[in-house]
Amino acid sequence: MRGRGAKIAGVLPLFTLFMAGAISAFEDIERLRIWPLPAEVSHGGRRMYLSGDFKLVTERSKYEDTSGILKEGFDRMLGVVRLSHVVSGGRNSSRSGGSALLQGLHVIISSSTDELEYGADESYKLVVPSPEKPSYAHLEAKSVYGALHGLQTFSQLCHFNLKKKIIEILMTPWNITDQPRFSYRGLLIDTSRHYLPLPVIKNVIESMTYAKLNVLHWHIVDTQSFPLEIPSYPKLWNGAYSSSQRYTFDDAAEIVNYAQRRGIHVLAEIDVPGHALSWGKGYPSLWPSKNCQEPLDVSSNFTFKVIDGILSDFSKIFKFKFVHLGGDEVNTTCWSATPRIAQWLKKHRMSEEEAYQYFVLRAQKIALSHGYEIINWEETFNNFGSKLNPKTVVHNWLGTGVVERVTASGLRCIVSNQDKWYLDHIDAPWQGFYDNEPLQDIKDKKQQSLVLGGEVCMWGEHIDASDIEQTIWPRAAAAAERLWTPYAKLATNPDKVTTRLAHFRCLLNQRGVAAAPLVGGGRVVPLEPGSCLAQ
């Protein structure tokens, strides 16, 4: 999954973009400084302040918050708004020129459950201040996870006034009605090519919430290493780089819980039958032979027993309705080159290509038996699409036109085309991430409904704890707006959102996220001294 050839696009310096053009209605939208842009938003011109004891109120809400998800989200919101500054409280409000003081946020949630279900309602409505109770802001949502999105938006309306040492909200009254365009808004991380410590993964999850991404695709294992403990087959993590570069089963459960409390699903991936050499470090019989170690041995029932054991263990902690089974870049020559497997192929009257199909479909049946729906990389569809289980989601990464063909066949699709949404292509600028349209050339409404969304991919060959954040951000944010904001509200020219994205990048920096400058591709350094707003 390593496609190359991303083009270097010319990027105008930000100061040029700031100075160009007259004020327009679109530029008024850009003044809102909210990322991603909400579905509907209106504002006024008043200034308000937050009380020093700004509080959460949940009267008339059906959601009782026994798990503390809402209260934790509220506390995190206040934390990122305060930015570790000392807040003076309300004593400076008398110097605000008659502006009102907000005492708290009233949150009403109509669903009593906090089960994180894929496709659940993520909408919210935010009014600042409340017409009925002007000393409070008002947030309504169907689910607690919609409310968390509303808290993120509220946090972006707030600014710390360094002179008065108080949190202020400009341009009130605000009236925002919002919901995501796509239900799947993902980010892939790769812990096989380089091990990522648990705090790094948690920091990535936290940063995803700021841009309203909702799926962490965890590409856990690959050719290079197998870092995860599998209780059913405890020698599998012998394929880790070292004994310290591993995740216990409880670690994985903690990652899932940490993400779930922030409204983020964790999609676990085991990539079979290719990309699996590391499996044989603990169980050499999974290799076709000692000298030909990939793909997994298609002729052995033990191979499928191990897959069944892994997915059985997965089902205990990875509660997302999907599991990713890979299926890409499978070089089957080892099968024919290994005499006993070649004999098995002959006995079953299979070519290498047919054995590849047999493997993928058998793995799919195992996943289905554990209650999962399946995601596979697009090669499976390109080679035998009509044979895939109807519950398959095809993950596009290679070619153009694949999404259209997949949805025309009646299957669902996720978009991650490598020429636009591969974050490891560090020469790819953010404008390409913003411009990439998942529904490109798909006019049929039914086919459009089969596109679940998209995902930016942070492949790990040249990424570790030292550089992952600045390689992800701010380019992932550009894709996040594409996946969240209604199509009609998106900019036709991505350069038009430069000012607003630069502000969001500065916001990420202020919140402790090492987001790189906009000027250039990914993971660039500042060109010269200056404000983050102009780089």
Side-chain angles (χ1 to χ4, degrees), residues 87-118:
V87 179
S88 295
R91 65 174 182 267
N92 285 328
S93 60
S94 61
R95 297 158 53 189
S96 66
S99 297
L101 194 67
L102 284 173
Q103 300 292 342
L105 176 64
H106 186 192
V107 180
I108 297 178
I109 300 170
S110 58
S111 172
S112 61
T113 181
D114 54 21
E115 184 177 353
L116 182 61
E117 296 180 345
Y118 175 72

Coordinates of all heavy atoms in Angstrom, one line a residue, residues 87-118:
V87 N -7.0 32.0 34.4 CA -8.2 32.7 34.1 C -8.6 33.6 35.3 O -8.7 33.1 36.4 CB -9.3 31.8 33.7 CG1 -10.6 32.5 33.4 CG2 -8.9 31.0 32.5
S88 N -8.9 34.8 35.1 CA -9.2 35.7 36.2 C -10.7 35.5 36.7 O -11.0 36.0 37.8 CB -9.1 37.2 35.8 OG -7.7 37.5 35.5
G89 N -11.5 34.9 35.9 CA -12.9 34.8 36.3 C -13.7 35.9 35.8 O -13.4 36.6 34.8
G90 N -14.7 36.3 36.5 CA -15.7 37.3 36.0 C -15.3 38.7 36.5 O -16.0 39.6 36.1
R91 N -14.3 38.9 37.3 CA -14.1 40.3 37.9 C -13.7 41.3 36.8 O -13.9 42.5 37.1 CB -13.0 40.2 38.9 CG -11.6 39.9 38.5 CD -10.6 40.0 39.6 NE -9.2 39.7 39.2 CZ -8.7 38.6 39.3 NH1 -9.3 37.5 39.7 NH2 -7.4 38.4 38.9
N92 N -13.2 40.9 35.6 CA -12.9 41.9 34.6 C -14.0 42.1 33.7 O -13.9 42.9 32.7 CB -11.7 41.4 33.8 CG -10.4 41.6 34.6 OD1 -10.2 42.5 35.4 ND2 -9.4 40.7 34.3
S93 N -15.2 41.5 33.9 CA -16.3 41.6 33.0 C -16.9 43.0 33.0 O -17.5 43.5 32.0 CB -17.4 40.6 33.3 OG -17.9 40.8 34.6
S94 N -16.6 43.8 34.1 CA -17.1 45.1 34.1 C -16.4 46.0 33.1 O -16.9 47.1 32.8 CB -16.9 45.7 35.5 OG -15.5 45.7 35.9
R95 N -15.3 45.6 32.6 CA -14.5 46.4 31.6 C -14.9 45.9 30.2 O -14.3 46.3 29.3 CB -13.1 46.2 31.9 CG -12.6 46.7 33.2 CD -11.3 46.0 33.6 NE -10.2 46.1 32.6 CZ -9.1 45.5 32.7 NH1 -8.8 44.7 33.7 NH2 -8.2 45.6 31.7
S96 N -16.0 45.2 30.1 CA -16.3 44.6 28.8 C -17.2 45.5 28.0 O -17.8 45.1 27.0 CB -16.9 43.2 28.9 OG -18.2 43.3 29.6
G97 N -17.5 46.7 28.5 CA -18.4 47.6 27.7 C -19.8 47.1 27.7 O -20.6 47.3 26.7
G98 N -20.3 46.5 28.7 CA -21.7 46.1 28.8 C -22.0 44.7 28.2 O -23.1 44.3 28.2
S99 N -20.9 44.0 27.8 CA -21.1 42.7 27.2 C -21.6 41.7 28.3 O -21.2 41.8 29.5 CB -19.8 42.2 26.6 OG -19.5 43.0 25.5
A100 N -22.3 40.7 27.9 CA -22.9 39.7 28.9 C -21.9 38.7 29.3 O -20.9 38.4 28.6 CB -24.1 39.1 28.2
L101 N -22.2 38.1 30.4 CA -21.3 37.0 31.0 C -22.1 35.7 30.9 O -23.2 35.6 31.3 CB -21.0 37.3 32.4 CG -19.9 36.6 33.1 CD1 -18.5 36.9 32.5 CD2 -19.8 36.8 34.6
L102 N -21.4 34.7 30.3 CA -22.0 33.4 30.2 C -21.7 32.6 31.5 O -20.5 32.4 31.8 CB -21.5 32.7 29.0 CG -22.1 33.1 27.6 CD1 -21.4 32.4 26.5 CD2 -23.6 32.7 27.5
Q103 N -22.7 32.1 32.1 CA -22.5 31.3 33.4 C -22.2 29.8 33.1 O -21.6 29.1 34.0 CB -23.7 31.5 34.3 CG -24.0 32.9 34.7 CD -23.0 33.5 35.6 OE1 -22.2 32.8 36.2 NE2 -22.9 34.8 35.7
G104 N -22.7 29.3 32.0 CA -22.5 27.9 31.7 C -23.0 27.5 30.4 O -23.5 28.3 29.6
L105 N -23.0 26.2 30.1 CA -23.5 25.6 28.9 C -24.6 24.6 29.3 O -24.3 23.7 30.1 CB -22.3 24.9 28.2 CG -22.7 24.1 26.9 CD1 -23.2 25.1 25.8 CD2 -21.5 23.4 26.4
H106 N -25.7 24.8 28.7 CA -26.9 23.9 28.9 C -26.9 22.8 27.8 O -27.1 23.2 26.6 CB -28.2 24.7 29.0 CG -29.3 23.8 29.4 ND1 -30.6 24.2 29.3 CD2 -29.4 22.6 29.9 CE1 -31.5 23.3 29.7 NE2 -30.7 22.3 30.1
V107 N -26.7 21.6 28.1 CA -26.6 20.5 27.1 C -27.9 19.6 27.3 O -28.1 19.1 28.4 CB -25.3 19.7 27.3 CG1 -25.3 18.6 26.2 CG2 -24.1 20.6 27.1
I108 N -28.6 19.4 26.2 CA -29.7 18.5 26.2 C -29.5 17.4 25.2 O -29.3 17.7 24.0 CB -31.0 19.3 25.9 CG1 -31.3 20.3 27.0 CG2 -32.2 18.3 25.8 CD1 -32.6 21.1 26.8
I109 N -29.5 16.2 25.6 CA -29.3 15.0 24.7 C -30.5 14.1 24.8 O -31.0 13.8 25.9 CB -28.0 14.2 25.2 CG1 -26.8 15.1 25.1 CG2 -27.8 13.0 24.3 CD1 -25.5 14.5 25.7
S110 N -31.0 13.8 23.6 CA -32.3 13.1 23.6 C -32.2 11.6 23.7 O -33.1 10.9 23.9 CB -33.1 13.5 22.3 OG -32.3 13.1 21.1
S111 N -31.0 11.0 23.4 CA -30.8 9.6 23.6 C -30.1 9.3 24.9 O -29.2 10.0 25.3 CB -29.9 9.0 22.4 OG -29.6 7.7 22.7
S112 N -30.6 8.2 25.6 CA -30.1 7.9 26.9 C -28.9 7.0 26.9 O -28.2 6.8 27.9 CB -31.2 7.2 27.7 OG -31.6 6.0 27.1
T113 N -28.5 6.5 25.7 CA -27.4 5.5 25.6 C -26.1 6.2 25.2 O -26.1 7.2 24.6 CB -27.7 4.4 24.6 OG1 -26.7 3.5 24.5 CG2 -27.9 5.0 23.2
D114 N -25.0 5.6 25.6 CA -23.7 6.1 25.2 C -23.0 5.0 24.4 O -21.8 5.0 24.2 CB -22.8 6.6 26.3 CG -22.7 5.6 27.5 OD1 -22.9 4.4 27.2 OD2 -22.3 6.0 28.6
E115 N -23.7 4.0 23.9 CA -23.1 3.0 23.0 C -22.7 3.6 21.7 O -23.5 4.3 21.1 CB -24.1 1.8 22.8 CG -23.5 0.7 22.0 CD -24.5 -0.5 21.8 OE1 -25.5 -0.4 22.4 OE2 -24.1 -1.4 21.0
L116 N -21.5 3.4 21.3 CA -20.9 4.1 20.1 C -21.3 3.2 18.9 O -20.6 2.2 18.7 CB -19.4 4.3 20.2 CG -18.8 5.0 19.0 CD1 -19.3 6.4 18.8 CD2 -17.2 5.1 19.3
E117 N -22.3 3.5 18.2 CA -22.7 2.7 17.1 C -22.4 3.4 15.8 O -22.6 4.6 15.7 CB -24.2 2.5 17.1 CG -24.7 1.6 18.3 CD -26.2 1.4 18.3 OE1 -26.9 2.1 17.6 OE2 -26.7 0.5 19.0
Y118 N -21.8 2.7 14.8 CA -21.5 3.3 13.5 C -22.8 3.7 12.8 O -23.8 3.0 12.8 CB -20.8 2.3 12.6 CG -20.6 2.8 11.2 CD1 -19.6 3.8 11.0 CD2 -21.3 2.4 10.1 CE1 -19.4 4.4 9.8 CE2 -21.1 2.9 8.9 CZ -20.2 3.9 8.7 OH -20.0 4.5 7.5

